[in-house]
Amino acid sequence: MKIAPSILSCDFARLADEVQAVESGGADWIHVDVMDGHFVPNITIGPLITAGVRRSTDLPVDVHLMIEEPDRYLEAFVLAGADWVTVHAEACVHLHRTIEEIRRLGAKPGVAINPATPLAAISDILPYVDLVLVMSVNPGFGGQSYIPTSTAKMVRARALLDNLGSDAELQVDGGVGSGNAAEVQAAGASVLVAGSAVYGHAEGAAGGVRSIREALSQGVATSQGEG
């Protein structure tokens, strides 16, 4: 499983150092949460910070747009260095057009759904995306608790992707850390986003990444042992 620390929880006064810390801890991607105060009740960052992340690492930059009218900003984020751009099904009037535009711009497109949105809402777009993001909290703020029903939703999402023969990533975001990393991995997730669990870790951000990696390894070992 890939670990994608979310810079939402980092110290922005030390952005480059915070990005490099998780990279040294073994992170696979850097996750950038973009919020506009309309689609979600919070305002965070934009293309300028994304460009700063890009300059700080060679890891893939994974941009999650929690914004209204995302089509207006796709090019800006791709030009800023986004390798992956994920939009919310709930925010897109013409989702297929948006997904195709992300790909045309040169990034890999993803689709996200909120906890109360059924998987049926994205079934027709699955053949066209490279990533499916199952939100395991209501988007807008870091540090929230994992919604338990998200696990079963990920199992169903994995089954849908497998039935299509899709190699799209299945990402989980919200309330995930070392305590439940193995659970979401067993449910079929391939990318784990963690913010406060990484940047709020007692041993620092690098230690937070290593803690999740250890939990994932132990979870695999336990599963194999039980098998």
Side-chain angles (χ1 to χ4, degrees):
M1 174 180 276
K2 300 176 182 70
I3 299 174
S6 169
I7 63 165
L8 179 65
S9 300
C10 83
D11 179 357
F12 282 95
R14 302 174 52 251
L15 178 62
D17 291 339
E18 294 280 64
V19 170
Q20 290 160 12
V22 295
E23 183 172 356
S24 69
D28 300 288
W29 295 0
I30 304 298
H31 189 80
V32 180
D33 284 311
V34 180
M35 307 179 192
D36 63 357
H38 295 281
F39 181 69
V40 294
N42 194 12
I43 299 173
T44 56
I45 57 182
L48 288 177
I49 296 296
T50 303
V53 172
R54 176 75 286 160
R55 291 193 298 269
S56 303
T57 184
D58 291 326
L59 294 178
V61 175
D62 171 33
V63 172
H64 175 197
L65 298 181
M66 289 169 274
I67 64 177
E68 292 181 356
E69 300 183 58
D71 302 71
R72 296 172 59 190
Y73 305 100
L74 299 177
E75 185 173 13
F77 280 101
V78 174
L79 289 175
D83 298 289
W84 298 77
V85 177
T86 297
V87 296
H88 271 260
E90 303 89 350
C92 295
V93 176
H94 302 289
L95 181 56
H96 180 269
R97 181 184 297 165
T98 303
I99 292 299
E100 290 301 291
E101 179 63 7
I102 294 170
R103 193 179 302 282
R104 188 193 69 79
L105 289 167
K108 294 183 178 180
V111 62
I113 52 172
N114 290 332
T117 301
L119 287 168
I122 59 169
S123 60
D124 287 343
I125 201 64
L126 292 181
Y128 303 97
V129 299
D130 293 323
L131 181 149
V132 175
L133 169 52
V134 173
M135 290 298 300
S136 45
V137 298
N138 289 296
F141 297 94
Q144 298 183 66
S145 297
Y146 181 84
I147 297 174
T149 49
S150 303
T151 303
K153 194 173 188 178
M154 278 183 284
V155 171
R156 298 194 303 273
R158 171 52 61 196
L160 287 172
L161 291 171
D162 289 347
N163 287 340
L164 283 172
S166 172
D167 58 0
E169 302 281 4
L170 178 56
Q171 187 176 75
V172 57
D173 183 358
V176 184
S178 57
N180 57 359
E183 175 183 344
V184 299
Q185 179 175 239
S190 59
V191 184
L192 182 159
V193 175
S196 56
V198 168
Y199 285 106
H201 195 272
E203 298 178 7
V209 176
R210 287 193 290 266
S211 175
I212 294 173
R213 185 72 68 195
E214 181 179 354
L216 290 168
S217 298
Q218 291 176 346
V220 169
T222 300
S223 176
Q224 290 174 344
E226 291 174 349

